Amino acid sequence: MKKYCEMEKEELAQEKARLEARYQEFMKKGLKLDMSRGKPCPEQLDLSMDMLKIQDYKGETGIDARNYGVLEGMPEARRFFSQLLGIQPDEVIVGGNASLQMMYYLIELGYRNGYPDSERPWKECKKVKFLCPSPGYDRHFRITEYFGFELISVPMTPQGPDMDEVEKLVSQDAEVKGIWCVPMYSNPDGYTYSDETVKRFAALKPAAKDFKIFWDDAYCVHHLTDEPDRLLNLLEECKKCGSENMPFLFCSTSKVTFSGAGVAAIGASRTNVEYILQNMFPMTISFDKLNQLRHVKFLKDAQGVAEHMKKHRAILEPKFKTVLRILKEETADCGEIAHWTDPKGGYFISLYALPGTAKRIVALCKDAGVVLTGAGAAYPYGIDPQDSNIRIAPSFPPVDELEQATRLLCLSMKLATIEKLMEKF
Amino acid sequence: MKKYCEMEKEELAQEKARLEARYQEFMKKGLKLDMSRGKPCPEQLDLSMDMLKIQDYKGETGIDARNYGVLEGMPEARRFFSQLLGIQPDEVIVGGNASLQMMYYLIELGYRNGYPDSERPWKECKKVKFLCPSPGYDRHFRITEYFGFELISVPMTPQGPDMDEVEKLVSQDAEVKGIWCVPMYSNPDGYTYSDETVKRFAALKPAAKDFKIFWDDAYCVHHLTDEPDRLLNLLEECKKCGSENMPFLFCSTSKVTFSGAGVAAIGASRTNVEYILQNMFPMTISFDKLNQLRHVKFLKDAQGVAEHMKKHRAILEPKFKTVLRILKEETADCGEIAHWTDPKGGYFISLYALPGTAKRIVALCKDAGVVLTGAGAAYPYGIDPQDSNIRIAPSFPPVDELEQATRLLCLSMKLATIEKLMEKF
C-alpha cells in the first residue's frame, strides 16, 4: 500500500471510506473501556492481599502503631522508604496514602509560609512560575495551576527535561520557584533522566534562593525488562554541590500494593525534614502507622519490593507488548504517521500522532466506547501546542479488551490522519 | 482537721511539713507515668483487633476499595458517618485517619480561598479572630494560632460557651470568622451543650458573612453512664434558621477503633460539601477507602458503634471513678481547696485548683514522675488567666498507676495550696 503522505486526494478518500466502514463495526460492538488513568488492574491488586492478613501492631522499637503519635512515621517505615529512595532514614517522613497529597502540602507550605531559604512566602511574591517538563503528569501541573502559579512548559527529551532550557530559566528568573519531575520512567514518555541530567539538576544555580525540585520518584521500582533503567540519586548529588535543600523526593506504594490504600513518603535534607515536621505538627497528631507497619511487614525491604514487583511485571509486560505490537501492525502499511515510546518501566506509553489530530483521535475513540486520557492533559493548562500527544495507559484493561481498544485507537488515528491530510487539497 | 483556709501560719507550716514528707516518699518511688493526652489504653485498642481480620475490598456498590478514586469516600462509609452525625449521607465527606487534619484543611481553605459566602479569603482580611471557648482543646486553638488568627477566649459554662458573649462578639465584629466547639462531653470539662445553646448557635446572625462553626463532635458516642447526655443536631437546627452553610461538623473513630488508624469525616451542607470536594480535587485522588470499608464492616452502623462503645465504657468508667474517688478522699479534710467536673462521657476530668497554683501543681507532679497536660494548655496561647485549670486524662494508665498518679496530684495540689495560702502571711 502507498504511504498516506504520498497518496493523492482520491486515494485518501478511498482509504477513508474503508476506515470508516471498519469504525462503524467498532461502533456496533458497544465497547466500554476506560484507559484514561494509570490504574492497576484487579490482578495486580490481588498480589498484595496477603498484606491484609497482617495484624501486627507493635513496631520493632515497641511503638503501638494503633495509638496516637510518631508524626514522622514508624522507624521501620522510614528505613524502608530510605532504601527505596537511596537516602538516610532520618531524611524520610512517612505519611498517609497519597504522595500527591504530600506534594500538594509542600506546595501549600511554600505558598503560605515559604521555606527556610525563602525571603518571603510564595504568596507574597508578585508572581510564581513553575517549570513543567512536557508532556508530564497532569495532576502535578494541576496543583500549581490551582495555586495560581504560572506554568512554564519545558520540552522533554529521552534524557530528561531540556536542561539548557531549565538552566536558563532557573538561573535568570527569580520568579521561577520550582520544577515538577518524574525522573524515572516518566509519565507519560517512560524516559529516565540521564546521569548528566541529574548532575545538572544538582548543580543548578537558581536566581530564586528557595527554588525547589519536586522529584516524584513514582516508578522507581516499576521495571518492565531485565535491564532496568538506573537513576542517579539526586539528594546525594545535591549534597556534593551543597544544594541539598533544593530537592523534595517523593515515593509511594500506590502501584506496589494498593493504589487507594498504600503509603507515601517524602525524602529531603535534615533541614527540610525538620522544617516540614515543625509545620505539620499543628495539622495532625500522626498518619496511619498501622498501614505503615503492615506495609513493612509485608514488603520487608528493597529486596522484598523488587521480588514483589516481578509479579507486577508478569502482568503488565504482556499488556505493554500488546499495545506496542498492535501499534506497529496497524500502522505498518501507512508510512510513518506516528511514533511512540517503548519504555522499560512505569505505567504509560506516549503516542505522538500527526500534529493537529490528537483531540480528534481521542474524540473518535470516545464515541466508540474507549475513554483515553484527554488530549493535551499532559501539558500545562491541558493544551498540547502540537495537538499530537496521547497517553496510553495499558495497565487496567484485560489483554483482550486492551487489544480491542488499541485497534480502535489505531483506526481512529488513521482516520484522523487522513482527514488532516485531505485538508491540503 | 481544720480547713486550710482557716489555718494560721504555724498550722500551715506544720501541714506543709507533713505533705513534704509524703511527697519525698513519692519521689523515692520513681514513678514514670504519662497522663498528658487523651490516649486510649492498650486494652481499649484490643477491642478492635477483630477489625484487622476483615479482608473485604469490594464495596456494596461494587467499588474496589483498593484502587484509586471516590474522593468523597465509600458510599457505605458516608452512610455510616451520616448516622453518627445525624445528617444525610450526601452531607458527609469521609477522609483519612485524622479529623484534626480535616479541621486544619478547612481552616487552611478559608485562609487561602475563602468559602462560597466569603467576600475575600481570610488571608486578605486585615485581621481574623477566632472564638475559643475555654477551657477547650489545645490542638484546636493551636491550628488557628498557627495561621496567625487572634484567639479570643469565651468562658465555658455547664451549658456550653457563654452564648451572651458569643452572640455579642459574633454579631458585632466582622473580624470574628469562626468558633471552635466540642459540643458533647467537651474537652476538658465534659460538658454537653444544652438545647438552648445549640439553638442559639443556629440562630447566630454573624457580622461576617462567612462565619463558620467548627463543631468537633469527637465524643458523640463516648458515654460513661446509663443516662447519656443528648446533643441537639446543629446542622438540622441551622437548616431551620437558614444558616446551614455556617457549621462544619467533625467526627472520627479515633477513640472508637484505633487512635492512629481510624477514619474521620466532615459533615456539612450540600453547598459546602460540593465546594470542599472541588477544592480537595487538586490535592488527592482519594483517601484510604480500604480502611473506610474495614470500619463499616466491623462497626456496621450506629447501633453497632453503641454496642462497641459499651466495651470502652467498661474499661474507662472504673478509671474515671478512681480519679473522682481519690480527689474526694484526699481533699475531704482540707475544705474546698478545689472543684472538678464529673462528666457523663468523653475523655477528661477538669480540675480547678486554687487560682495561681496550677503551674506549680503540674511542676510538682512532673518532678515526681507524673506528666500531666501542661497547665494553661486548655486556654488560648496556653495561658490560663487564673492559673487554676488542670486537665486530667484518666484513659491510658492502668487503674493502680492511675491511683498513684491521682494521689500524687492531690498531694501536689495540697502542697501548692498551702504555699499559696502562706503567701498572705
Side-chain angles (χ1 to χ4, degrees), chain A residues 138-183:
Chain A
D138 57 341
R139 298 298 298 253
H140 285 166
F141 301 167
R142 187 188 300 273
I143 292 175
T144 31
E145 183 181 357
Y146 175 73
F147 275 86
F149 301 170
E150 185 179 325
L151 310 186
I152 298 185
S153 192
V154 172
M156 267 298 286
T157 80
Q159 288 74 46
D162 178 337
M163 289 308 292
D164 290 342
E165 188 72 10
V166 169
E167 282 166 355
K168 195 185 75 182
L169 289 161
V170 167
S171 66
Q172 291 177 5
D173 187 348
E175 291 177 344
V176 172
K177 290 291 192 184
I179 185 168
W180 288 111
C181 296
V182 183

Side-chain angles (χ1 to χ4, degrees), chain A residues 276-291:
Chain A
I276 294 165
L277 286 174
Q278 255 171 41
N279 280 282
M280 277 185 168
F281 180 73
M283 181 175 77
T284 191
I285 315 281
S286 49
F287 298 99
D288 185 341
K289 296 186 298 297
L290 217 43
N291 205 30

